[in-house]
Amino acid sequence: MEKYQVFPGQNYQANVIGFTGLQEVSVIHVYENTATVLIKETAETGVAKLCNFLVGASQLVS
């Protein structure tokens, strides 16, 4: 995803640096190529590259 597509406070799935696989995250702050995220499962903060973000299934409108 691009910077303009990611918003603080929104939920996404992302590959967080230092973790394996996709994590359910909430965005804290968006930078140029990365974002600080809160990992929902562990309540830890981490960093994820914006190119590794996916819209969470709960956000998709059918």
Side-chain angles (χ1 to χ4, degrees):
M1 298 184 94
E2 299 291 328
K3 181 179 178 179
Y4 67 89
Q5 297 173 303
V6 179
F7 301 98
Q10 296 294 313
N11 298 324
Y12 299 92
Q13 291 182 331
N15 286 323
V16 180
I17 296 170
F19 288 80
T20 55
L22 289 174
Q23 304 292 319
E24 289 285 333
V25 300
S26 179
V27 174
I28 298 170
H29 189 83
V30 181
Y31 299 98
E32 196 62 36
N33 296 314
T34 61
T36 305
V37 297
L38 174 67
I39 303 163
K40 291 185 165 194
E41 187 174 303
T42 62
E44 295 178 281
T45 56
V47 174
K49 292 181 180 179
L50 295 181
C51 62
N52 293 331
F53 273 71
L54 299 173
V55 176
S58 62
Q59 289 185 288
L60 296 177
V61 177
S62 48

